[in-house]
């Protein structure tokens, strides 16, 4: 019926949004456009589909509607909280690029001589970064303790990519932090 058609249309829209090229400085929370295109990570489509299904099934909370500037502040805040949680008990971690598939919003967690810092609104990953692909509802579920890291990975709500040794270190640190 109509509900099934609307759910299918919403899923198709989520897939389309996850795959469209987006100007680097005009992520989905901005109104204007800029020159230069970036594409989603290869895992964006399956992650977007998994997040949509988990929200529909009530396993994750939907995001509250917000004007784009407030949605950007909310998303950056969640990414910063994730960064703080990851680095709270772990030191000397490799650089991590985090992308939220809904708006292709990138942030980076970088450890240097001055300590660990979060770079909001990054252009994308740098060479050698471990890449964490997720959606904002899944990220909030992890931060709120609604879902564990291992359950999120198993459900396809998050994907970790990058150099094998570093990828495994980050996955272990995240599993410890969000168990």
């Amino acid at each position: 019926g109509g509900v099934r058609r609307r759910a299918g249309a919403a899923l198709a829209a989520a897939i389309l949004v996850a795959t469209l090229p987006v100007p680097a400085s005009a992520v989905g929370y901005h109104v204007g456009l800029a020159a230069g295109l970036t594409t989603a990570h290869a895992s964006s489509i399956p992650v977007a589909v998994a997040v949509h299904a988990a929200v529909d099934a009530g396993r994750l909370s939907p995001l509250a509607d917000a004007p784009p500037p407030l949605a950007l502040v909310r998303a950056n805040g969640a990414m910063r909280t994730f960064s703080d949680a990851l680095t709270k008990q772990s030191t000397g971690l490799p650089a991590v690029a985090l992308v939220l598939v809904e708006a292709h919003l990138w942030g980076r967690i970088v450890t240097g001589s001055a300590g660990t810092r979060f770079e909001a609104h990054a252009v994308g990953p740098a060479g050698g970064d471990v890449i964490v692909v997720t959606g904002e509802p899944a990220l909030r579920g992890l931060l709120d303790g609604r879902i564990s890291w291992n359950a999120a990975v198993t459900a396809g709500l998050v994907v970790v990519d990058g150099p094998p040794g570093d990828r495994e270190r980050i996955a272990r640190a995240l599993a410890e932090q969000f168990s």
Side-chain angles (χ1 to χ4, degrees), residues 33-130:
L33 297 177
L37 295 178
T38 184
T39 57
H41 187 273
S43 298
S44 293
I45 294 170
V47 168
V49 170
V51 169
H52 176 78
V55 168
D56 272 359
R59 292 188 306 274
L60 292 175
S61 298
L63 296 175
D65 286 335
L70 293 179
L72 178 61
V73 169
R74 178 189 66 209
N76 276 324
M79 293 169 77
R80 184 174 305 282
T81 302
F82 177 82
S83 170
D84 292 346
L86 174 61
T87 59
K88 181 170 55 171
Q89 297 175 341
S90 304
T91 57
L93 292 174
V96 175
L98 172 65
V99 63
L100 299 180
V101 297
E102 299 87 4
H104 300 218
L105 180 63
W106 288 91
R108 290 186 69 234
I109 305 163
V110 182
T111 302
S113 59
T116 301
R117 71 183 189 287
F118 175 71
E119 298 173 357
H121 214 167
V123 174
D129 280 3
V130 173

Side-chain angles (χ1 to χ4, degrees), residues 148-166:
S148 72
W149 175 259
N150 291 333
V153 169
T154 300
L157 301 170
V158 64
V159 170
V160 181
D161 191 16
D166 289 344

